[in-house]
Amino acid sequence: IPGGMYDRRPCKADGMVIGRTSAFYLDHATGIIIRNSSVTWGNIRPNYYAYALESHNVDSLKLINFDGQSAFPAKLSAVRKEE
């Protein structure tokens, strides 16, 4: 699978999600806690790398002691939350 795609099979929806690659990617979830976690990107960062954490349609997301930046801090925030 090339970068910039998520494989969420098996599921009732489309199995492949096309987008950028974030360190943590959450989609349609409830009651998520991410605790004592960090994101460190390597020196080689393809253009499809994105956020430290990206969430879509997540209800009740709690970050405790979460540390990290996006792959491109001058262009993107560390966290992207989309309702």
Side-chain angles (χ1 to χ4, degrees), residues 15-80:
M16 303 301 279
V17 176
I18 298 172
R20 300 180 79 182
T21 298
S22 295
F24 287 81
Y25 182 87
L26 308 168
D27 190 10
H28 288 88
T30 302
I32 301 294
I33 299 172
I34 298 177
R35 179 182 291 129
N36 299 330
S37 298
S38 64
V39 172
T40 304
W41 300 93
N43 292 329
I44 299 172
R45 301 178 189 182
N47 289 333
Y48 57 79
Y49 279 10
Y51 305 94
L53 184 143
E54 181 177 356
S55 69
H56 301 270
N57 302 304
V58 175
D59 185 36
S60 186
L61 170 61
K62 192 180 288 189
L63 302 177
I64 302 168
N65 195 27
F66 181 80
D67 186 45
Q69 296 182 328
S70 70
F72 304 101
K75 296 179 184 178
L76 302 171
S77 62
V79 175
R80 178 182 179 200

